[in-house]
């Protein structure tokens, strides 16, 4: 039943409209969207088998990370290689690139997140306050902070995911996620985002929340 719920959830993601400053990596109008949707379904199914009770919510996909994989906080390299200690992800489990013609991308925040999850043997469900890639006008290979309106539009997706997976605790990674949760009336622990020199604070914060998960 839960896989059926995931399929409906992902189909809804696929219908969200892109514009000149936003790319919906799951879009039914993009050839790559089908692969991103399949990757996300594999990930959500895989993580749900662990029966997580915690969601780790970030800000929005980056152009070297979830924009290319469909999986929050995950780069192409991590998706293909997998995380052996956690027995998750990996091309041998069916995860695929949307484009095989160029180099396999790495993304620093994704590496920090998965290294920390591996170290603490912690598997929350990963998501974003705005689940699509916000970029600057005319520069799809850039990142920008999602607007308040975009974050508001993203709330229906994470609220639905909380319901489907019966998550009872959300940890905000950074201010944007924390503010989104507060607007929805959800109290959440906030930890530092790993980007821009935040690695140490993030890993310490994650260690604390994983210890009580």
């Amino acid at each position: 039943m839960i896989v059926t719920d995931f399929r409906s959830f992902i189909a809804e993601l696929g219908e969200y409209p892109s514009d000149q400053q936003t790319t919906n990596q799951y879009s039914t109008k993009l050839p790559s969207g089908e692969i991103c949707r399949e990757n996300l379904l594999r990930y959500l199914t895989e993580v749900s088998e662990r029966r997580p009770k915690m969601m780790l919510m970030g800000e929005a996909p980056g152009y070297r990370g979830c924009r290319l994989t469909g999986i929050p906080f995950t780069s192409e390299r991590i998706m293909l290689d997998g995380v052996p200690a956690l027995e998750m992800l990996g091309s041998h489990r069916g995860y695929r690139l949307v484009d095989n013609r160029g180099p396999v991308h790495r993304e620093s925040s994704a590496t920090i997140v998965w290294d920390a999850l591996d170290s603490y043997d912690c598997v929350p469900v990963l998501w974003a306050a705005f689940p699509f890639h916000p970029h600057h006008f005319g520069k799809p290979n850039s990142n920008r902070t999602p607007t308040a309106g975009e974050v508001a539009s993203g709330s229906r997706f994470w609220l639905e995911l909380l319901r489907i997976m019966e998550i009872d605790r959300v940890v905000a990674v950074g201010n944007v996620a924390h503010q989104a949760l507060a607007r929805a009336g959800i109290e959440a622990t906030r930890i530092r985002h790993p980007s821009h020199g935040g690695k140490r604070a993030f890993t310490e914060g994650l260690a604390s929340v994983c210890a009580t998960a």
Side-chain angles (χ1 to χ4, degrees):
M1 181 63 179
I2 195 169
V3 174
T4 301
D5 289 339
F6 286 152
R7 290 186 186 278
S8 297
F9 171 75
I10 292 169
E12 188 175 357
L13 285 170
E15 296 302 323
Y16 188 91
S18 296
D19 58 33
Q20 293 180 319
Q21 295 189 85
T22 306
T23 297
N24 177 359
Q25 65 273 18
Y26 309 109
S27 176
T28 57
K29 297 179 180 180
L30 294 176
S32 59
E34 181 177 2
I35 295 177
C36 282
R37 294 194 302 274
E38 290 175 356
N39 286 339
L40 180 60
L41 178 61
R42 289 182 188 280
Y43 165 71
L44 291 177
T45 302
E46 191 174 17
V47 76
S48 71
E49 293 172 354
R50 310 295 184 94
R51 299 186 181 280
K53 291 300 179 184
M54 183 171 73
M55 174 184 284
L56 203 63
M57 184 189 293
E59 180 177 297
Y63 77 94
R64 287 183 175 272
C66 179
R67 158 79 177 270
L68 300 176
T69 65
I71 306 169
F73 283 115
T74 304
S75 67
E76 289 181 325
R77 175 52 63 198
I78 291 169
M79 183 184 72
L80 291 181
D81 290 352
V83 186
L86 296 177
E87 297 183 344
M88 292 189 67
L89 305 175
S91 58
H92 61 291
R93 291 188 172 89
Y95 293 93
R96 296 189 292 154
L97 296 176
V98 299
D99 188 347
N100 292 301
R101 293 172 297 180
V104 175
H105 289 88
R106 301 176 184 271
E107 204 273 335
S108 59
S109 290
T111 300
I112 293 168
V113 169
W114 281 97
D115 282 350
L117 293 176
D118 187 4
S119 296
Y120 306 133
D121 192 23
C122 183
V123 186
V125 61
L126 306 175
W127 200 246
F130 182 62
F132 312 104
H133 174 230
H135 54 79
H136 297 289
F137 183 85
K139 298 179 179 180
N141 290 335
S142 65
N143 296 322
R144 66 170 174 82
T145 302
T147 66
E150 288 169 338
V151 173
S153 72
S155 64
R156 63 187 171 105
F157 295 107
W158 58 259
L159 284 168
E160 178 66 3
L161 196 55
L162 291 177
R163 183 195 67 79
I164 293 172
M165 300 190 73
E166 299 181 349
I167 299 296
D168 56 26
R169 182 185 185 190
V170 188
V171 175
V173 182
N175 292 329
V176 171
H178 193 254
Q179 291 164 5
L181 290 161
R183 282 193 290 270
I186 297 176
E187 293 187 12
T189 300
R190 175 175 51 191
I191 62 176
R192 175 74 156 83
H193 196 283
S195 65
H196 305 298
K199 178 179 179 179
R200 180 175 178 179
F202 167 80
T203 55
E204 290 175 350
L206 187 64
S208 178
V209 298
C210 284
T212 58

